[in-house]
Amino acid sequence: MPRAGLTIDVVVREAARIIDDRGAEGLSLSAVAESLGVRVPSLYKHVDGMPALRRGAMLLAKTGLAAALSDAAIGRSRDQALTAISIAYRKWALEHPGLYPLSVSAPVNGDEDDIAASSTLVETVFRVLAGYGLEGDDAVDATRFLRAALHGYVALETSGGFAMPVDLERSFLRLIASVEAALDSWTKS
Amino acid sequence: MPRAGLTIDVVVREAARIIDDRGAEGLSLSAVAESLGVRVPSLYKHVDGMPALRRGAMLLAKTGLAAALSDAAIGRSRDQALTAISIAYRKWALEHPGLYPLSVSAPVNGDEDDIAASSTLVETVFRVLAGYGLEGDDAVDATRFLRAALHGYVALETSGGFAMPVDLERSFLRLIASVEAALDSWTKS
DNA sequence: TCCATGTGGCTAATGTAGTTAGCCAATGGG
DNA sequence: CCCATTGGCTAACTACATTAGCCACATGGA
């Protein structure tokens, strides 16, 4: 039996690919094993079963989305930064329709990697809002508003929740504009 | 063997209860059968397996949420109506943390009941926005904005995505206020 | 060069969940 | 009262995750 050259990275990345292809429900050890040309039990030499596979994919989702956002924010501030990260957020989600939902799962208590990845993600959004001069509870409220708008839109869009035949791009740009207007006058509301 | 007096309604309602108790992952035929004091295969006399069970719960979610919203909108218009349905939306979702996610699933092509339930839900939101004098594409964009904000907020809240120890009630009221402000000046944006 | 060792594949077996077939008792309309 | 329908059941099969334990491959030191 020649070696297949698997590593934990290869296995988890294949799992992520399958999730994006067939959705989170479509992930199974059989599917991963078949894709990698290997028998199911062999996977256990690299990952600790199904839960670990899901956790790995979830971490890929959080770090991948966070990287896309911070990349988009480079060299911009206020409305420019907000527009850039919003568009990057939606773009990443559309490119990773299966992985995306994992990126919003609450960090698991005690899982340091998960907590770190989740923090990085929220911090990126939080920092952009710092440019609006928001502090303390105002900043928290605003971050929640922005995250809600972005997550709600892409969650509905990727799950097929927007049925009307009206341009999805345009609706999203108007959403961004509305959020920006709200943030510009945030402390007054 | 005495009869247990099951009907499709009893079975589906039990499934919905389990989903709210243990989450969508916690739903199994075994769990439903045990709760109802019956063996697993007996359920097949009333429901066509697991997919039908999920579908039934999904329909309960869509109709239940829609009923809560239209009830809240009675006798109100514009900002009053919007505040009322927003609060009712969040309230229903918090009371049904397991069922709620099913309410945003895209209607299945060809499933008339599903399409009807989904339409009713969106229509309720859409009608409130009619009070703002929005028509055509403007109304679609605005509906998407409102649905995104509401869904995003409660999805993040119910999944534990808001970690900061800041009042969740207040953040939501500010979100509503921001959405209202945006809708008041929608056609200008 | 060779073999000692650890590692990465494998088969076999077990447990759980969904599903189907087919049996038999309870129910209710003539 | 009888019998057809219905709603429960057991048994058996599938698919999947998991564990135990085997053996070949690859590598590094003698």
Side-chain angles (χ1 to χ4, degrees), chain B residues 133-152:
Chain B
L134 300 175
E135 292 176 350
D137 290 359
D138 276 340
V140 173
D141 291 339
T143 304
R144 286 175 177 168
F145 176 51
L146 174 55
R147 288 180 64 207
L150 293 179
H151 170 55

Side-chain angles (χ1 to χ4, degrees), chain A residues 9-133:
Chain A
D9 265 28
V10 171
V11 174
V12 169
R13 247 191 283 277
E14 185 58 31
R17 209 187 52 74
I18 288 172
I19 288 175
D20 271 336
D21 266 16
R22 325 183 196 172
E25 308 295 304
L27 178 65
S28 68
L29 292 178
S30 332
V32 174
E34 193 177 4
S35 287
L36 296 173
V38 117
R39 298 293 186 156
V40 173
S42 308
L43 298 176
Y44 285 80
K45 294 285 159 127
H46 305 281
V47 270
D48 198 5
M50 199 64 187
L53 209 55
R54 275 197 261 265
R55 174 178 173 277
M58 177 265 290
L59 289 178
L60 277 189
K62 286 178 179 177
T63 55
L65 178 56
L69 297 191
S70 60
D71 183 66
I74 289 175
R76 302 183 221 260
S77 69
R78 291 192 65 107
D79 288 4
Q80 280 217 345
L82 197 132
T83 300
I85 69 162
S86 297
I87 288 173
Y89 191 103
R90 174 166 176 261
K91 181 163 180 284
W92 195 92
L94 291 178
E95 287 168 355
H96 302 279
L99 230 43
Y100 171 71
L102 304 184
S103 76
V104 294
S105 61
V108 171
N109 219 316
D111 185 336
E112 295 305 326
D113 293 344
D114 189 1
I115 292 170
S118 302
S119 300
T120 305
L121 188 47
V122 177
E123 274 297 309
T124 307
V125 176
F126 203 80
R127 284 221 194 126
V128 167
L129 293 189
Y132 285 84

Side-chain angles (χ1 to χ4, degrees), chain B residues 86-159:
Chain B
S86 297
I87 289 174
Y89 191 103
R90 175 166 175 260
K91 181 164 179 284
W92 195 91
L94 291 177
E95 287 169 354
H96 301 280
L99 230 42
Y100 170 70
L102 303 184
S103 76
V104 294
S105 61
V108 170
N109 220 315
D111 184 336
E112 295 305 326
D113 293 345
D114 189 1
I115 292 169
S118 302
S119 300
T120 305
L121 188 48
V122 176
E123 274 297 309
T124 308
V125 175
F126 203 79
R127 284 223 196 124
V128 168
L129 292 189
Y132 284 85
L134 300 175
E135 292 176 350
D137 290 359
D138 276 340
V140 173
D141 291 339
T143 304
R144 286 175 177 168
F145 176 51
L146 174 55
R147 288 180 64 207
L150 293 179
H151 170 55
Y153 194 91
V154 306
L156 289 172
E157 181 178 4
T158 58
S159 78

Side-chain angles (χ1 to χ4, degrees), chain B residues 43-64:
Chain B
L43 298 175
Y44 283 80
K45 291 289 156 111
H46 305 281
V47 198
D48 199 5
M50 198 65 185
L53 209 55
R54 276 196 260 263
R55 175 178 172 276
M58 176 266 288
L59 289 178
L60 277 189
K62 286 178 179 176
T63 55

